[in-house]
């Protein structure tokens, strides 16, 4: 997999180019393989409108959902061309009319952008911009958005997890997995996590899990059931449902819930497995969260940053011109180990 190819993109600045600010940004002009990610070196820096914020991007998180969108296989498709990326961290450059929560010079992270995050500058709605404490690096800030807001939505808004229950983070060493481990521990749950490598298992244990299991080992599900003394799991946060869902249903306790975070294909299940335990399967899509739900989540996460238990784990880092490689690796490389981040 080579780096992101370079394209010539003409900035629209009128006849007088002297006042035009240019930036680098990754653009997608057609859906397809990672190679459709093309680095443009002369994009115009966007300007913030009403209740919008212009951010100088220092880092941008790479999420699996962005690879599905780029490939054209996701239900939500942006109009072409577009710049991917929602989870940036950087410094406020300027703000539009009506913005009061942040000001120029503030360190911030985002949960969504208007113009795309794989770029040196991005515009975001003010409700999607949150202050980043000095204790966290920009790369860590870029690992908060989708991972932590998704984990919170799965655990709290969908599964209604309660302190004292047992949760299994099925695929706990990636961005959402680490977030789910930290959140689950803070919420008072007994936390079990899986990973595909010894390094991944160590990372899971260092980020809130009480026990870790290798999901590449034969019979690991039996070991998980033994750890619950045969009772089963109350809540499963599932990262690869097309492989694990049938097994998940068999591991649930009575009234157990599976929350679906990730899926890369289809799977056959036996509905009787849900009947036997009156269990539930629910999909999770952070894009459907209401503004009130996002405010609730943001408040808890900021408290976690202040208290010190919210510690995003950054894995591989890539320069902006290697975005295509990042998209390849997040899907193809075995054994996740933290959040993949682009740096500017």
């Amino acid at each position: 997999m080579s780096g992101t190819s370079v394209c010539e993109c003409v900035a629209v600045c009128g006849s007088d180019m002297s006042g035009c600010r240019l930036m680098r940004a990754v653009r997608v002009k057609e859906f397809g393989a990672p190679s459709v990610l093309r680095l443009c070196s002369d994009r115009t820096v966007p300007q913030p409108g009403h209740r919008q914020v212009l951010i100088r991007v220092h880092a941008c998180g790479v999420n699996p959902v962005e690879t599905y969108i780029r490939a054209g296989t996701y239900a939500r498709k942006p109009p072409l061309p577009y710049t991917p990326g929602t989870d940036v961290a950087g410094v406020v450059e300027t703000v539009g009319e009506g913005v009061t929560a942040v000001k120029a010079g503030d360190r911030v992270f985002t949960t969504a952008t208007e113009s795309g995050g794989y770029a040196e500058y991005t515009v975001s709605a003010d409700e999607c911009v949150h202050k980043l404490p000095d204790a966290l690096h920009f790369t860590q800030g870029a690992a908060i958005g989708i991972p932590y807001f998704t984990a919170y939505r799965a655990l709290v808004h969908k599964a209604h997890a309660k302190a004292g229950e047992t949760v299994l983070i099925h695929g706990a060493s990636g961005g959402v997995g680490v977030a789910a481990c930290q959140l689950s521990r803070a919420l008072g749950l007994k936390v079990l996590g899986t990973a595909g490598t010894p390094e991944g298992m160590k990372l899971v244990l260092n980020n809130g899990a009480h026990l870790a299991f290798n999901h590449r080992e034969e019979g690991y599900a039996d070991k998980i059931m033994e750890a619950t003394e045969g009772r089963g799991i109350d809540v499963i946060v599932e990262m690869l449902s097309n492989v694990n869902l049938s097994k998940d249903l068999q591991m649930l306790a009575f009234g157990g819930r599976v929350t679906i975070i990730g899926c890369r294909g289809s799977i056959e299940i036996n509905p009787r497995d849900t009947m036997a335990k009156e269990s539930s399967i629910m999909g999770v899509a952070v894009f459907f969260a209401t503004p009130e739900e996002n405010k609730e989540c943001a408040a808890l996460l900021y408290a976690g940053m202040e208290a010190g238990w919210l510690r995003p784990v950054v894995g591989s880092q890539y320069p902006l011109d290697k975005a295509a490689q990042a998209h390849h690796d997040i899907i193809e490389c075995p054994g996740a180990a933290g959040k993949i981040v682009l740096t500017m």
Side-chain angles (χ1 to χ4, degrees):
M1 173 60 59
S2 60
T4 303
S5 57
V6 177
C7 68
E8 294 300 325
C9 301
V10 179
V12 180
C13 305
S15 58
D16 180 12
M17 294 291 290
S18 61
C20 184
R21 298 178 64 198
L22 303 179
M23 67 175 186
R24 296 184 306 148
V26 172
R27 299 289 281 171
V28 176
K29 296 185 177 180
E30 61 180 325
F31 298 114
S35 59
V36 303
L37 296 168
R38 298 173 66 83
L39 181 64
C40 296
S41 59
D42 52 2
R43 294 292 299 171
T44 304
V45 173
Q47 294 304 305
H50 180 70
R51 298 199 64 178
Q52 291 183 338
V53 179
L54 175 65
I55 300 166
R56 173 70 170 94
V57 179
H58 286 245
C60 182
V62 177
N63 295 294
V65 68
E66 290 153 15
T67 72
Y68 312 149
I69 294 171
R70 182 218 70 232
T73 59
Y74 196 63
R76 295 161 56 101
K77 295 185 181 70
L80 296 168
Y82 74 97
T83 294
T86 59
D87 298 354
V88 311
V91 177
V92 175
E93 184 84 357
T94 185
V95 300
E97 181 184 355
V99 176
T100 58
V102 296
K103 63 184 185 305
D106 284 350
R107 301 173 83 250
V108 296
F109 72 92
T110 68
T111 55
T113 66
E114 299 294 321
S115 58
Y118 294 13
E120 292 176 322
Y121 291 87
T122 191
V123 165
S124 178
D126 65 345
E127 66 181 6
C128 300
V129 180
H130 309 272
K131 289 187 177 180
L132 180 68
D134 291 339
L136 296 182
H137 190 272
F138 288 119
T139 54
Q140 291 178 297
I144 296 173
I146 282 183
Y148 282 84
F149 278 73
T150 297
Y152 186 87
R153 184 164 182 78
L155 290 164
V156 177
H157 292 149
K158 293 300 178 182
H160 303 292
K162 298 178 179 62
E165 288 190 314
T166 299
V167 61
L168 171 66
I169 315 300
H170 212 163
S173 61
V176 178
V178 168
C181 284
Q182 294 177 2
L183 277 165
S184 295
R185 189 63 177 258
L187 293 170
L189 301 169
K190 180 178 180 181
V191 187
L192 312 183
T194 76
T197 65
E199 295 77 14
M201 292 171 65
K202 183 177 180 181
L203 184 150
V204 168
L205 289 170
N206 287 339
N207 283 278
H210 294 91
L211 296 170
F213 304 85
N214 190 328
H215 53 227
R216 298 186 189 279
E217 289 184 358
E218 191 73 27
Y220 79 94
D222 294 331
K223 293 180 180 179
I224 291 174
M225 290 300 292
E226 289 173 9
T228 70
E229 299 180 343
R231 178 182 173 278
I233 306 293
D234 296 301
V235 176
I236 298 179
V237 179
E238 179 54 63
M239 309 300 172
L240 195 61
S241 55
N242 56 295
V243 172
N244 299 322
L245 183 56
S246 180
K247 191 178 304 179
D248 288 340
L249 294 176
Q250 295 169 35
M251 287 193 288
L252 286 176
F254 185 83
R257 296 86 79 195
V258 181
T259 60
I260 306 296
I261 302 294
C263 181
R264 299 178 189 173
S266 59
I267 185 173
E268 181 176 321
I269 65 168
N270 186 343
R272 287 185 181 274
D273 290 335
T274 66
M275 297 163 61
K277 300 173 182 177
E278 289 198 331
S279 57
S280 304
I281 305 168
M282 56 197 76
V284 179
V286 72
F287 307 108
F288 293 123
T290 65
E292 292 74 22
E293 288 172 332
N294 282 331
K295 286 180 182 178
E296 172 193 322
C297 178
L300 182 88
L301 296 184
Y302 197 82
M305 294 179 221
E306 290 185 316
W309 60 257
L310 193 158
R311 308 177 307 277
V313 175
V314 178
S316 300
Q317 300 181 40
Y318 300 77
L320 189 59
D321 62 0
K322 298 294 184 182
Q325 186 68 50
H327 269 225
H328 171 271
D329 292 352
I330 198 172
I331 298 298
E332 300 299 335
C333 287
K339 180 70 177 176
I340 289 181
V341 172
L342 299 176
T343 56
M344 306 304 151

